[in-house]
Amino acid sequence: MAETLVLIELDRQRVKRPSLHAITLAQQLGGDYALLILGSGVAEAANSIISYGAAAVLVADDPALAEPLADRYASVIAQATRQQGAKRLLASSSTFSKDVLPRAAALLDAPMVTDVLALAKVDGAIAYQRPMNAGSKLATVKVDGELCVLTARATAFAMPSANGAPCLIATFAFDAASLPNEMQFVSRELRASDRPDLAEARVVVSGGRPLKDSETFERLVGGLADALGGAVGATRAAVDAGMAPNDYQVGQTGKVVAPELYIALGISGAIQHLAGIKDSRIIVAINKDADAPIFQMATYGLVGDLHQIVPQLIAAIQKT
Amino acid sequence: MKILVPFKSVPDPYAGAGAAAKSVINPFDEIAIEEALRIRERGEATEIVGVTIGAPAVDEQIRSALAMGVDRAIRIDDSRALDPYAISRILRTLVEREAPQVVLMGKQAVDDDSNQVGQMLAGLLGWPQATFVSKIEFLDNKTRAQCSRETDGGIEVIAISLPAIITTDLRLNEPRYVSLPGLMKARKKPIEVINCEQLGVNVHPLTTTLSVASPPRRTAGTRLESVEELVTRLKQEAKVL
Amino acid sequence: MDFAWSDQQRELLDAVDRFASEQLRYDMIENDRNAVFNHDAWKKCGGFGIQGLPVSEEYGGLAQDPITTVAALERLGYGCKDNGLNFSINAHMWTAIIPLVYNGSEAQKKKYLPGLCDGSLIGGNAMSEPNSGSDAFSLATTAVRKGAKYILNGSKIFVTNGPIADVLLVFASTDKAKGAAGISAFLVEKGSPGLDLSHKIEKMGVRTSPMGEVFFEDCEVPEENRLGKEGAGSWMFTRSMTWERGCILAASVGTMQRLLETCIRYANERKQNGQSIGKFQQVATKIVDMKMRVESSRHMLYHCAWAAGRRKAVYLEAAMAKLQISESWVRCCEDAIQIHGGYGYMTEYEIERELRDAIGSKLYSGTSEVQRNIIASMLGL
């Protein structure tokens, strides 16, 4: 029994660290919380999250859950939520949680709030702050009813501390045979990369359309990211031009990032892109157009030609 | 095959600051309409039905959908500020009435950015879902669809049985431009207006937007003159190197 | 008298507004410098429905009346800065499509109109000759019947769309002795044996609208491509010329409106001696005069189209509209340059191009002098 159930996301049987940030929202909401993981062969992952102050780690471990198919996952998540008698079901925002949680909400006959940024008190009741209109507006939303489902922007909640007393790992039993079976996993494109994950990286270097082609993009954006041990991102324009894969896209409809250092190379600063980076601690913009909107929000701006500046910057960083 | 395309009318996200707020079809839903048209054009669908919820003012976007090539449209007359779950429950009754093989819709509306309705509708109907889709192919005599999904980890491909809900991502297609002949043909296409009572569904929103504010803005920082200066600042001032 | 648009007209005109401003915005400085015709934009316009506006639906058009059509073209001129494209489209519509609509046989209409409407075919009109301009009917080009064909010999000059045309409406003398009554019209397809379209002419303005010389050297045209009866050419030309005069500058009214708005913005933004230059009477007066010219041009255009839509003879109205719009357009451009000062003279500000584009309007489709002659004769002088 827990008041809040936090869905933790796995990537190839390992916990995705941004998904742990939702625990901080659970802590802010108050009351006890349990963590829920789904998958196949996930005992080790379950073990890695026992110290986050949860009442329990609930594990749904079955070959039927090897791939995150929304119909099965939502069904198991809804069953677990009911079994726990939870009043809130939450997870960090990701394409995984946005796929399965609204479906689970419908199964639970519950409303949902997407991308919670912060809690607020309105007339003594809890309300949620969330972005709208590509982040250009901030709405305060209240929810009625017994149960609600939330996703939290990982960048808006700190990583929880892992120094709690180890909690119990409980198997969540369900009838795998009765799960829906009308969705099949076919394939997933796997890209081996030594670079850190975009959503988790301390440093992100992104490139825009002026990078021209994928080779230049990799040499300048990738080169600078590697010099800094950072992740690589891209604007929608760069992705659409084929310079970078789709999942590199940073912005409102791509990934929202909030690293310590964000370096924007040749990015003019469309509102959809700025919405995805505005919580970064330091933003560096390098662009040849001195009037580019990105300079209005960059901590440091450098006007000039990328092709000259970036190699100099890589060399200067490597020297330090 | 019949395709139902639910779409939402939203303030034009590309309107410049200060311009009068013109309404348009939610861009993700426009992609869904375009995809439905392409499916029909390659002979895999016979009818495309558009549905939206709103006051008579949204008829303008309905006409745009009809002008793009949607065969007929339904407006569910309800001007309340509904939440995604209430919308999903209304759409469920309409899906049951229309019995489409595919419901195609945008992954999210660009005003509210909730990204919930398609998944909730799939949950309520017990239908399979493919969200954030960038490619659709029908298989096995149109009893299944293979969909490429844009996920955080890259492209994932799944196969789903029909009937199903498919939500569209940006790169599925580039919607066509509404032509004048399309606009004129649209004048002759039927728009059915129906309300929740007639559909036999009683919904109330459970989430309420209490206030909307502008988020705090970042202010412009310092313009630097050289790479050396940037490196020094990043080290000594920002302490990120 | 009702000056209001119907809901359907409003919807159509709004759609053209959006189309032109969203789909036809491209860099004009380079295109103008290199005299590049934008084929892609032409096809977009066809797909959208511009070229087919006045054509009935059975031939792929939209069956719009003249006033809706000219108002739509005005919106095109407002949103699309490519005056050359606008001119090519207007020449195509008024000097190729309209004569075909009025005089074409069923077979000719079925064969050519759908393509001329949807943007896949480009049409033009070949009338002027090296030795006959404003004196239109003294043609040296001849067409001699030979079995089921006509053999054309001669040359045409100032043929708008000539170098890019798929089909040209060519006027030639089938019987020199009869003078104007011996002139016939032919639809000549690109690739016809003996037809040479390759001579492009460099010009001052509307440089993105290709213009050329056309040569016929024993050019074979099948009899079924004769438009109307033998000898009907001059009557046909006079009739289509009336349409051409009245409507060909529809887009220019939109262009003037855009220039006016550009000048108002500039006059409010630009500060001299601590105030916006719009506060200076000499600048304000120029802008007021621009406004007066735009409005009077628009009203004469609409009135001419309205009358044409009621099947009234618009010989006088068309000449007046042509004269008013062309002279206003040139004056507007001059004033716009003057208001912008030295910047207006610079290519980058895209106003000097407008003036170059405007000046030709006082020459083609009948010079200002010809229009004045027509008006004078209609006044009994």
Side-chain angles (χ1 to χ4, degrees), chain A residues 3-22:
Chain A
E3 241 176 284
T4 302
L5 189 60
V6 183
L7 175 67
I8 301 296
E9 181 178 350
L10 302 184
D11 179 17
R12 278 160 272 168
Q13 296 166 320
R14 287 184 50 207
V15 169
K16 286 190 89 167
R17 292 179 59 81
S19 77
L20 298 171
H21 293 228

Side-chain angles (χ1 to χ4, degrees), chain A residues 67-83:
Chain A
E67 293 295 342
L69 296 166
D71 53 357
R72 297 172 190 190
Y73 266 53
S75 170
V76 173
I77 292 164
Q79 289 176 47
T81 309
R82 274 201 206 93
Q83 185 226 38

Side-chain angles (χ1 to χ4, degrees), chain A residues 161-215:
Chain A
S161 79
N163 52 15
C167 70
L168 192 78
I169 296 178
T171 299
F172 175 67
F174 61 96
D175 178 13
S178 69
L179 290 179
N181 192 28
E182 291 184 310
M183 296 175 61
Q184 281 88 39
F185 173 80
V186 176
S187 63
R188 178 176 296 120
E189 117 194 306
L190 284 176
R191 237 190 334 272
S193 173
D194 297 334
R195 292 182 185 138
D197 190 276
L198 196 46
E200 303 174 40
R202 203 182 70 87
V203 176
V204 174
V205 183
S206 286
R209 201 199 300 268
L211 271 308
K212 292 267 190 305
D213 53 52
S214 56
E215 190 268 326

Side-chain angles (χ1 to χ4, degrees), chain A residues 16 68-70 94-96 98-100 102-103 105-107 109-115 122 127 130-145 182-189 191 202 228 236 239-240 246-247 249 252-253 255 260-261 272 277-284 286 290 295-303 309 312-313 316-317 320, chain B residues 11 13-14 28 83-85 89 107-108 110-117 119-132 134 144 146 149-163 169-171 174 205-228 230-231 233-235 237-241:
Chain A
K16 286 190 89 167
L69 296 166
S94 67
T95 53
F96 163 73
K98 286 182 178 177
D99 185 41
V100 300
R103 188 175 179 115
L107 300 180
D109 196 25
M112 176 166 173
V113 179
T114 302
D115 288 338
V122 177
R130 62 174 300 265
M132 284 172 51
N133 297 78
S136 64
K137 286 181 185 157
L138 193 61
T140 304
V141 180
K142 86 173 166 117
V143 180
D144 298 319
E182 291 184 310
M183 296 175 61
Q184 281 88 39
F185 173 80
V186 176
S187 63
R188 178 176 296 120
E189 117 194 306
R191 237 190 334 272
R202 203 182 70 87
L228 292 161
R236 181 185 169 189
V239 169
D240 286 350
N246 298 357
D247 50 303
Q249 186 178 323
Q252 178 62 20
T253 55
K255 289 188 174 118
E260 282 288 292
L261 173 60
Q272 284 79 3
I277 65 166
K278 65 182 173 55
D279 296 321
S280 308
R281 189 167 76 82
I282 304 289
I283 295 176
V284 174
I286 302 175
F295 287 122
Q296 296 304 312
M297 67 184 298
T299 325
Y300 302 117
L302 201 53
V303 178
I309 293 177
Q312 287 174 23
L313 186 55
I317 288 164
T320 64
Chain B
Y14 302 110
F28 287 106
D83 64 2
Y85 188 48
R89 289 177 59 203
K107 72 168 182 179
Q108 68 191 61
V110 298
D111 53 350
D112 180 64
D113 286 333
S114 277
N115 197 330
Q116 297 176 14
V117 173
Q119 298 88 311
M120 285 179 162
L121 181 58
L124 290 172
L125 290 162
W127 287 10
Q129 72 187 48
T131 50
F132 327 140
S134 59
R144 296 200 310 145
Q146 179 161 302
R149 306 180 55 232
E150 295 207 8
T151 72
D152 290 341
I155 304 285
E156 176 190 292
V157 182
I158 60 172
I160 55 177
S161 307
L162 301 188
D169 215 319
L170 276 180
R171 292 181 190 87
E174 183 90 30
L206 291 170
T207 63
T208 314
T209 299
L210 301 171
S211 62
V212 177
S214 292
R217 291 175 68 111
R218 282 183 87 105
T219 48
T222 320
R223 288 285 172 105
L224 308 178
E225 295 301 324
S226 68
V227 168
E228 293 69 36
L230 174 60
V231 173
R233 294 264 193 159
L234 289 176
K235 260 195 239 168
E237 194 174 67
K239 298 185 169 37
V240 286
L241 287 187

